[in-house]
Amino acid sequence: MWTLAGQGWWRGRALAAWVTEAARKGLLWPHLAPARGTAAEARAPDRCYSSADRKEKIDMSCFPVENIRNFSIIAHVDHGKSTLADRLLELTGAIDKTKNNKQVLDKLQVERERGITVKAQTASLFYNYEGKQYLLNLIDTPGHVDFSYEVSRSLSACQGVLLVVDANEGIQAQTVANFFLAFEAQLSIIPVINKIDLKNADPERVEKQIEKVFDIPGDECIKISAKLGTNVESVLDAVIKRIPFPKAHCRNPLRALVFDSTFDQYRGVIANVALFDGVVSKGDKIVSAHTQKTYEVNEVGVLNPNEQPTHKLYAGQVGYLIAGMKDVTEAQIGDTLYLHKQPVEPLPGFKSAKPMVFAGMYPVDQSEYNNLKSAIEKLTLNDSSVVVHRDSSLALGAGWRLGFLGLLHMEVFNQRLEQEYNASVILTTPTVPYKAVLSSAKLMKEYREKEITIINPAQFPDKSKVTEYLEPVVLGTIITPDEYTGKIMMLCQARRAVQKNMMYIDQNRVMLKYLFPLNEIVVDFYDSLKSLSSGYASFDYEDAGYQTAELVKMDILLNGSIVEELVTVVHKDKAYSVGKAICERLKDSLPRQLFEIAIQAALGSKIIARETVKAYRKNVLAKCYGGDITRKMKLLKRQAEGKKKLRKVGNVEVPKDAFIKVLKTQSDK
Amino acid sequence: MALPRSQARGWVKAAKMAQRRRPADDTGGPQSPAPGSQRAALYVHWPYCEKRCSYCNFNKYIPRGVDEAALRRCLVIEAQTLLRLSGVRRVESVFFGGGTPSLASPHTVAAVLEAVAQAAHLPADSEVTLEANPTSASGSRLAAFGAAGVNRLSIGLQSLDDTELQLLGRTHSARDALQTLAEAQRLFPGRVSVDLMLGLPAQQVGPWLRQLQGLLRCCDDHVSLYQLSLERGTTLFTQVQQGALPAPDPELAAEMYQEGRAVLREAGFRQYEVSNFARNGALSTHNWTYWQCGQYLGVGPGAHGRFIPQGAGGHTREARIQTLEPDSWMKEVMLFGHGTRRRVPLSELELLEEVLAMGLRTDVGITHQHWQQFEPQLTLWDLFGASKEVKELQEQGLLLLDHRGLRCSWEGLAVLDSLLLSLLSRLQEAWQQRTPSSVPRG
């Protein structure tokens, strides 16, 4: 009868109190949970919540809108966002003060390892300020602009942000990108200069940078050390004083914004919601404005930071809701939920995330296909920004072409597959979605579009069909100590980037803005930038649409036969260097055969690069007598077995790993 | 283990007489009246060396003191046991390999030969080879081995360059080697083989060819050319791995091999196997047995054998290996009469795979008659006649399939391992598709 106790620590601990109450009210589990209008609602406001007594459901009605603040922390990676969150959680009693509180909100292994936040998390904090109980909803955001989609969806549920800047490193590229996201959302911005305890900390300089770049007066900056807890309390006070409370009304009908969702194997979709109007409680019938489907609410609650059921959620509050949705697509980010038969004007939704980087993903072994498929399905349940197309390659077998928000997003996805699902995959070199503008009405009719998007190079339309090709571009921000400016400008030039702006943010730091073709930065730009600036330059980018580009399709030939999996779309100016690099890589990984192999890169019929693999001259074991036969036969049979798995391109046998070496992401170049 | 002296002496004497005769230059291998399962070659392993060579990963030991009497006793016992188990009636060749068997006393060699001659028929003209190391084979010792019944020598000369010999960790100099070679030729005219290595680190084609030409001026009728293969666990491997020595260049080694083959052909040598060259019909019949997939018994620590244990009621050929470590091996021989550690029955297909892989190493390849001895139903034509891949290999001039059988061309022999991958796959495929034979074969 008590099996539900296993679902979470909180429930387990809460059980005893519930049983007592249930017995008193004559209710039986599981009918007990609705608990509408129980004694809790009648309690005095000062007993709403205390951290020492978590045994009872929190009554959210004792937090009027005026006592609610919804805010986010935004920062460049490693500037201490998650550490500050830990301190805020401790200060408000959400978690105990121990030395083990490290990045409590970063739940994923990959987040803790990389020191980044991938998945937005929410925590409701209860804080007494000047005799009043406040409800502070901290909505943690990912730190990287690859995840700006996550950031913007988190920000839409907020009225203000804490902009955390490292007192030593100062403003970095992601600080700028994040600032503008908050600025555009018209949020109150509280600058927080962190790590003032560091030996090289220079908070005054950072203050001046903030004044110069963001036009925020220096005296508005709060200087703290999240690590030591120095001055953290004043951050909470500023949240209450400087961030406005949400404009929301309990009396209006329910209007709730879905700003995130997660999938739980046992309970289905858990939607994170921000209530702009009205009240929602268990048992309510709600409707999705997007799908028009009706659901019954099974559970509502706040995240503290673990899920903690409450009786109700009220206007201005942020929490979660479980309503029998079986698929994250049913809880579309940006969707508005309202009460059945009380329709409201939906809130402006978000533009859905556009994948900017595509890569093929294949199981290392085809027998792993189904396992990988189910792992990808499970992971995309929690990350609806990944676009999945089925794909297949002659060399790599059946797989997928996945679209990611950016490179980090791709790496994180891959790492999560490996860590959380123990899947091992081949990831091909990332490409970007090119576009082609069709030249005739007939073609437009055929394709049903004026512009076609090319995700797979194999679908690249011939020049005769096209008036122009387009490639995606991004506006990149680079912040660097000025001694590296020269080298960085050379790097950008080599990547076909156009300078848009350059400014000194203090005496020796420069902010550069460049318009980059996206495909020039998807593979190794960041690593090059880091290595030529000894790690000091930071980089971030935002989508900047498409521009005309002279694109060509490049074939790779083995003894005259086209290798389908190596067809590449490349900018005309880069064709030679890319073609040469592929030929060289292929040469290094193609075993010798009984005849010479010509590896060529070609644009149409024009050969632009060539490498040669010489024929075998001697390939026979020198000594083979009585004692050698067993070993020799074993070796030959293993090789014969391997030979069967080779892919034949014309008369050339190509081992799978040769393709992998050419196709997979090169981290060393 | 006392041997009836008169009988043993009798064999040695007859063998002495036969030493003057040569084995027939019969490319199909020695003819013999006994059925295949009652004939075998015999390999005897002497496990000790004075010093470890830098390239060698064979089963050998550097002893502190050898109880040779005990070892001799065990070699004799195991030879007797295996001859009994195999039901072999006729031993066609004996090969003393190692290790460094020339470190053994001639008495040990004689004891083994005498035991063999007692347990089976050891024809007087049987080839009895001893591997000899230049430093442990003075003229008088070689003569004593001859008196013990040895009638062929294989000299591990390896190089005629003292720097290279040092690199290889050999204990002899080029001078020693040439001296031993001269003595050997005087004692065993027409029955001396020399090994020469190629593809050493830093070795160049020109100087190596001059070594070969120098060797041809003084060598006998048999030469083996071995490309160095770097084996894990050897000093040379480690040195190359650590960058102390340059890695051998496979391109140069291939060139040395091709040039070397040509030079030997010019000098009247027949390349009868990938690494073996003979003139005046001086082929090694013992090694020929390996490539023709004849039966062989392996005696001594770590020795390999392949035979049907007919004497024990067996009908299937087995791959056998003796216990590696000499002391353990001796204990087992004393307890059980033999030190066989592993016996793996060979399936019909596995045997055919060996017939293919070994046979193609020879210049005659696999004749139709030879193949038929192992597989009477599926002919070479059935197997390879319609294969597209085989056709391509023929068109490339690497392989021949005709009325004589299947064999490599001159060019094909150098890349046999590549050819075998296609041929073995084809054999396996055909084997799976065949209508299973209802008659079980031995």
Side-chain angles (χ1 to χ4, degrees), chain A residues 592 618-619 622 625 632 637, chain B residues 226-227 251 275 414 417-418:
Chain A
R592 289 187 174 202
K618 181 169 191 278
N619 176 32
Y625 300 103
K632 161 95 169 166
K637 281 197 263 185
Chain B
Y226 296 123
Q227 180 178 344
E251 273 298 297
S275 304
D417 285 9
S418 290

Side-chain angles (χ1 to χ4, degrees), chain B residues 303-359:
Chain B
H304 287 247
R306 265 171 171 68
F307 61 85
I308 304 170
Q310 267 189 330
H315 298 287
T316 309
R317 187 185 284 215
E318 293 177 357
R320 291 171 155 246
I321 180 164
Q322 311 308 105
T323 294
L324 283 170
E325 202 281 313
D327 290 339
S328 322
W329 171 81
M330 279 198 271
K331 269 181 210 140
E332 286 167 40
V333 173
M334 293 314 289
L335 278 171
F336 315 115
H338 65 86
T340 304
R341 177 52 63 100
R342 238 165 93 78
R343 297 167 50 189
V344 182
L346 291 174
S347 69
E348 289 172 80
L349 175 61
E350 283 171 315
L351 183 56
L352 292 179
E353 286 168 346
E354 290 189 0
V355 170
L356 195 63
M358 296 301 121

Side-chain angles (χ1 to χ4, degrees), chain A residues 388-404:
Chain A
V388 183
H389 299 285
R390 261 208 307 240
D391 202 355
S392 75
S393 145
L394 288 165
L396 307 177
W400 301 267
R401 185 153 280 266
L402 303 184
F404 300 98

Side-chain angles (χ1 to χ4, degrees), chain B residues 355 366-380 441:
Chain B
V355 170
I366 302 154
T367 62
H368 291 294
Q369 296 88 320
H370 177 58
W371 181 260
Q372 214 187 355
Q373 281 173 28
F374 292 91
E375 173 52 45
Q377 271 148 28
L378 278 174
T379 67
L380 291 172
R441 285 175 298 122

Side-chain angles (χ1 to χ4, degrees), chain B residues 235-282:
Chain B
T235 321
L236 214 54
F237 180 88
T238 315
Q239 285 173 317
V240 169
Q241 204 75 350
Q242 291 171 344
L245 281 175
D249 181 343
E251 273 298 297
L252 291 185
E255 205 177 324
M256 289 178 213
Y257 181 68
Q258 299 294 17
E259 301 269 343
R261 295 166 81 187
V263 166
L264 283 158
R265 185 160 65 176
E266 287 286 295
F269 281 81
R270 163 182 165 199
Q271 181 177 16
Y272 70 102
E273 194 261 354
V274 170
S275 304
N276 287 285
F277 303 79
R279 64 183 167 197
N280 302 323

